[in-house]
Amino acid sequence: MPHKQPPGRPIPDIVVGRLPFYLRTLRSLAAEGLEITSSSELGDRLGLTSAQIRKDLSYFGEFGKQGLGYNISFLIVQLRRILKVDRIWEVVLVGAGDLGRAIANYHGFHDRGFEIRFVFDSDPAKVRQSLSQYTIQDIASLVEKVRAAKIRVAMLAVPAAAAQNVSDLLVEAGVQAILNYAPTSLVVPKGVYVQNIDPGAHMQRMTFYLEA
Amino acid sequence: MPHKQPPGRPIPDIVVGRLPFYLRTLRSLAAEGLEITSSSELGDRLGLTSAQIRKDLSYFGEFGKQGLGYNISFLIVQLRRILKVDRIWEVVLVGAGDLGRAIANYHGFHDRGFEIRFVFDSDPAKVRQSLSQYTIQDIASLVEKVRAAKIRVAMLAVPAAAAQNVSDLLVEAGVQAILNYAPTSLVVPKGVYVQNIDPGAHMQRMTFYLEA
DNA sequence: CACCAATTGAGAAATGTATCACAATTGAAG
DNA sequence: CTTCAATTGTGATACATTTCTCAATTGGTG
Ligand SMILES: NC(=O)c1ccc[n+]([C@@H]2O[C@H](COP(=O)([O-])OP(=O)(O)OC[C@H]3O[C@@H](n4cnc5c(N)ncnc54)[C@H](O)[C@@H]3O)[C@@H](O)[C@H]2O)c1
Ligand SMILES: NC(=O)c1ccc[n+]([C@@H]2O[C@H](COP(=O)([O-])OP(=O)(O)OC[C@H]3O[C@@H](n4cnc5c(N)ncnc54)[C@H](O)[C@@H]3O)[C@@H](O)[C@H]2O)c1
């Protein structure tokens, strides 16, 4: 029974983007004490069709049982493996402003596979101060420290005007994945992944649909 | 010269989702002192093809001049009108925790068409305290106050466990657009728009592509 | 043990989206 | 006044994604 594995068909990026939501939903089903679910239950919770969920999962293997559905904890294990969060990624946070503080205090990332290792800022008044459990470090030492620690993932919470600059430092230090909170498009070399978070864009996307 | 206007063809949602990024980019071009741009310059800045930008804009009208390109400030006016942010929307923020504080202190929303009018929380220790320029109000008074002020847009920054509950209150108060920071799927009636922000999901989307 | 309801996985079909390619237009240069 | 390079807007085409459909399988029930 030959089956397609990750290095088989290329996985559409849009499918990859939904997997974290499947995982999130499965964890909340598990937290409710359930052991088994179905593509239609998942679809209902997520506002997607059951067929889409089955097809998405089928890119990676056969995880369900006909007539029965999916074993929740088994599927969680599989999705964590697929998304490579069956481990903890050390993360560097740059920008110890209001948003940086919220991120540093937030404990929700650990469960998802991430742990902040360093916090950097350029403001001399902030450097050496503490933020949550961290000591804010001088941006000037970023490349050296991040490279030495082999950190590959970053969160960027600096003003838009500084973002490209900091991004360049991160790339120089070997970072390959950047979650960018600044409302600006970063230019990065191939092989570096950027995800942008722009709440203002989401807001404007909704007002489009509101009647004047 | 008949032309398609908003109530003409239905606009693909994916197109609407890109417009805020076009607007954001145009504003930064304007800030650089430029007056004219082209679909290819916009595409380069955004990592999109010029054809896509032209086709997206063509859903709404003919904004460019052949041979020349687009007048930046004219296109900004058009996009603000299309997205309905040629006005300021009053917003209610629920959740005065770390993230709520970052949002309340953040001045970037005003330029995008939004202004916080009320901040609510359920913690008795927080109610009546001030946060940025606001006085935190009791969640118990949300429905009454939001309805009276005819506020139609909300930002939700409460724990996941409380999010559905607060969402129901917001809907009851007449809110039609909710930016949800809680990592949970909200159930809302038709006619209410939800956009979710889940940094953990973005992170996991990137680790998928990293080599082990 | 036969039947049934529930459910998956996946090919085929339908739908949606992006790209191509080019006629039309513009302003500038000679 | 003609020519040219630049660039738009869009129909046609190519590609991507979702949905439909159903054979196959499962465990439960009588
Ligand atoms: N706060 C929000 O709710 C919110 C919402 C949307 C977007 N954002 C974006 O997130 C980013 C951060 O927002 P914030 O509210 O925390 O801003 P902030 O001004 O409070 O913090 C920014 C921090 O970055 C530091 N910084 C500036 N230049 C730096 C550099 N070159 N290297 C290292 N650190 C540097 C500053 O010293 C400051 O501590 C901004 O781009 C903002 O647009 C924030
Ligand atoms: N802080 C971050 O960087 C971050 C990142 C990702 C997601 N989030 C999400 O954003 C939300 C808020 O995060 P936070 O870090 O600010 O948490 P927080 O615990 O600091 O703040 C939550 C606030 O919500 C209030 N609250 C709780 N129940 C409420 C209710 N029923 N009505 C009104 N207010 C209520 C609490 O009193 C508290 O002030 C959470 O869902 C969290 O998962 C936060």
Side-chain angles (χ1 to χ4, degrees):
Chain A
M1 220 157 291
H3 218 282
K4 37 265 145 178
Q5 280 314 111
R9 287 175 287 185
I11 313 294
D13 186 61
I14 196 159
V15 171
V16 176
R18 282 190 292 263
L19 299 182
F21 294 94
Y22 298 173
L23 178 52
R24 194 180 89 172
T25 305
L26 287 162
R27 294 182 78 130
S28 90
L29 289 166
E32 291 167 29
L34 296 171
E35 300 195 345
I36 299 288
T37 188
S38 64
S39 57
S40 45
E41 183 172 38
L42 281 170
D44 289 348
R45 296 239 181 177
L46 283 159
L48 304 172
T49 66
S50 61
Q52 176 157 75
I53 287 167
R54 291 200 301 279
K55 179 145 298 242
D56 284 355
L57 294 175
S58 79
Y59 280 98
F60 302 98
E62 304 190 357
F63 303 128
K65 277 218 180 94
Q66 290 170 334
L68 261 194
Y70 300 92
N71 177 296
I72 291 173
S73 55
F74 174 74
L75 193 48
I76 287 173
V77 168
Q78 297 304 314
L79 283 172
R80 297 201 337 140
R81 177 182 54 76
I82 291 164
L83 291 169
K84 304 205 184 78
V85 290
D86 52 353
R87 77 204 71 176
I88 296 288
W89 294 87
E90 295 195 321
V91 174
V92 49
L93 168 63
V94 189
D98 284 308
L99 190 57
R101 185 199 302 127
I103 293 169
N105 282 331
Y106 183 57
H107 295 293
F109 284 118
H110 194 271
D111 258 6
R112 316 278 295 262
F114 305 94
E115 191 160 78
I116 293 174
R117 169 75 183 280
F118 290 124
V119 179
F120 291 95
D121 201 290
S122 63
D123 182 347
K126 288 184 173 167
V127 172
R128 277 189 286 279
Q129 300 297 304
S130 72
L131 175 66
S132 188
Q133 66 200 270
Y134 311 99
T135 299
I136 299 171
Q137 322 238 358
D138 192 327
I139 187 80
S141 63
L142 183 148
V143 174
E144 178 195 1
K145 287 173 181 163
V146 169
R147 187 183 277 146
K150 296 198 187 336
I151 294 174
R152 301 164 65 190
V153 181
M155 296 182 187
L156 191 42
V158 302
Q164 182 62 56
N165 236 281
V166 174
S167 168
D168 293 344
L169 294 178
L170 290 168
V171 169
E172 188 187 339
V175 165
Q176 296 168 292
I178 301 174
L179 183 66
N180 175 35
Y181 282 91
T184 188
S185 302
L186 300 178
V187 178
V188 295
K190 211 165 134 288
V192 177
Y193 301 88
V194 175
Q195 288 279 303
N196 295 292
I197 291 196
D198 186 337
H202 285 287
M203 295 289 280
Q204 293 180 337
R205 191 174 180 162
M206 293 192 287
T207 52
F208 174 86
Y209 294 103
L210 299 186
E211 297 142 37
Chain B
M1 219 158 291
H3 219 280
K4 36 267 146 177
Q5 281 313 111
R9 286 175 288 185
I11 313 294
D13 187 59
I14 196 159
V15 171
V16 176
R18 281 190 292 262
L19 299 182
F21 294 93
Y22 298 173
L23 178 51
R24 194 180 89 172
T25 305
L26 287 161
R27 293 182 77 131
S28 88
L29 289 167
E32 291 167 31
L34 297 171
E35 300 197 345
I36 298 288
T37 187
S38 65
S39 58
S40 45
E41 183 171 40
L42 282 170
D44 288 348
R45 296 241 180 176
L46 283 159
L48 304 173
T49 66
S50 61
Q52 176 158 76
I53 287 168
R54 291 199 302 278
K55 181 148 287 238
D56 284 355
L57 294 175
S58 79
Y59 280 98
F60 302 98
E62 306 190 356
F63 303 128
K65 277 218 180 97
Q66 289 169 333
L68 260 194
Y70 301 92
N71 177 298
I72 291 172
S73 56
F74 174 73
L75 192 48
I76 288 173
V77 167
Q78 296 306 313
L79 283 172
R80 297 199 342 138
R81 176 182 55 77
I82 291 164
L83 290 168
K84 304 204 183 75
V85 289
D86 51 353
R87 76 204 73 178
I88 296 287
W89 293 87
E90 294 195 322
V91 174
V92 50
L93 168 62
V94 189
D98 284 308
L99 190 57
R101 185 198 305 124
I103 294 169
N105 281 332
Y106 183 59
H107 296 294
F109 284 118
H110 193 271
D111 258 6
R112 316 278 295 259
F114 304 94
E115 191 160 76
I116 293 174
R117 168 75 183 280
F118 290 124
V119 179
F120 292 95
D121 201 290
S122 62
D123 182 347
K126 288 184 171 166
V127 172
R128 276 190 286 277
Q129 299 298 304
S130 71
L131 174 67
S132 187
Q133 66 200 273
Y134 311 99
T135 299
I136 299 170
Q137 321 240 359
D138 192 328
I139 186 81
S141 62
L142 183 148
V143 174
E144 178 196 0
K145 286 174 181 162
V146 169
R147 187 182 278 145
K150 295 195 185 341
I151 294 174
R152 301 164 67 189
V153 181
M155 297 181 186
L156 191 43
V158 302
Q164 183 62 56
N165 236 283
V166 173
S167 168
D168 293 344
L169 293 178
L170 290 168
V171 169
E172 188 188 339
V175 165
Q176 297 168 293
I178 301 174
L179 183 65
N180 175 36
Y181 283 90
T184 189
S185 301
L186 300 178
V187 178
V188 295
K190 211 166 134 287
V192 177
Y193 300 89
V194 175
Q195 289 279 302
N196 295 292
I197 291 196
D198 186 337
H202 285 286
M203 296 289 280
Q204 293 181 336
R205 189 173 182 165
M206 292 191 289
T207 53
F208 174 87
Y209 294 102
L210 298 186
E211 297 142 36

